[in-house]
Amino acid sequence: MRSMSDDHAHVQEFFSVRAAEWDARFPDDGPAYAAAVADLDLRKGDHVLDAGCGTGRALPPLREAVGPSGVVLGADLTPAMLEAAVRAGRDGAGRLLLADVAALPLRTASIDAVFAAGLVAHLPNPAENLRELARVVRPGGKLALFHPIGRAALAARQRRQITPADLRAEATLGPLLSGSGWRMTSYVDEDARFLALAVRDS
């Protein structure tokens, strides 16, 4: 059985070698990120976390949504991804944190919403990790689990089949969220995007 440190090393290795070219590989994803942020329905002044922020593509639309009075944080486990975010100038939209979403350096109930793009597939302990995201979100706060393409399109890109064990399948994700302090309120899985929205239970 792999340890947590093994999981961290695997994730960091995977993304470190891809960080410099990440945005160039997916140059057309910006509008999909902006649309998903809009669906999160943030308010001016909200505090929002981009969990597993990567190169920070969600940070500018998140900043626009919460305005100058809001707080935008981007947390990622891989230094090279955060460095790419800085090179792209996205650190101006939010504060970047080198942090593990399994143990966030944030106070309980200090965040209004979490945006997480492509995160679920990389969580070593999904129920426990989603529970940690719930810890930092106030009751009634929101979670967006997003990917710029749907499950079938992503599987085709990766030359694999969708299996019943896929954490992002609606029948799997709903109970996973409900057991981790969340209630799923919306689920969209289309070729053009994947977006599951949830609310933090009180």
Side-chain angles (χ1 to χ4, degrees):
M1 184 175 179
R2 291 196 317 186
S3 69
M4 182 71 83
S5 62
D6 290 333
D7 286 314
H8 288 176
H10 174 73
V11 170
Q12 286 179 324
E13 179 182 3
F14 179 89
F15 285 107
S16 290
V17 299
R18 293 166 172 81
E21 304 299 326
W22 192 260
D23 286 353
R25 289 178 62 197
F26 309 107
D28 302 322
D29 286 349
Y33 273 77
V37 168
D39 283 343
L40 195 50
D41 198 23
L42 296 166
R43 299 168 299 182
K44 301 300 182 185
D46 273 354
H47 293 207
V48 60
L49 169 69
D50 184 358
C53 67
T55 62
R57 287 179 291 177
L59 297 179
L62 289 171
R63 168 56 65 195
E64 184 176 353
V66 303
S69 63
V71 172
V72 177
L73 303 174
D76 204 276
L77 186 63
T78 305
M81 280 295 205
L82 296 178
E83 291 161 9
V86 172
R87 286 195 302 274
R90 297 180 184 129
D91 56 323
R95 181 182 172 201
L96 299 177
L97 305 173
L98 181 62
D100 181 6
V101 298
L104 290 164
L106 300 174
R107 296 190 313 275
T108 297
S110 61
I111 299 294
D112 295 296
V114 172
F115 184 88
L119 180 70
V120 174
H122 298 285
L123 296 177
N125 297 290
E128 181 180 322
N129 302 151
L130 289 168
R131 200 169 294 120
E132 171 64 359
L133 293 179
R135 179 189 68 79
V136 303
V137 173
R138 64 169 175 78
K142 302 170 186 176
L143 170 68
L145 299 176
F146 166 72
H147 201 283
I149 61 175
R151 293 190 307 131
L154 182 61
R157 176 189 287 175
Q158 297 172 342
R159 295 184 174 86
R160 62 175 176 81
Q161 298 292 319
I162 295 178
T163 71
D166 185 349
L167 290 176
R168 289 162 292 193
E170 186 172 9
T172 304
L173 186 59
L176 175 63
L177 286 166
S178 65
S180 304
W182 299 97
R183 175 174 51 84
M184 191 161 71
T185 58
S186 175
Y187 182 91
V188 175
D189 182 16
E190 303 168 341
D191 281 350
R193 73 166 176 170
F194 173 91
L195 182 65
L197 300 175
V199 172
R200 173 73 169 94
D201 286 337
S202 56

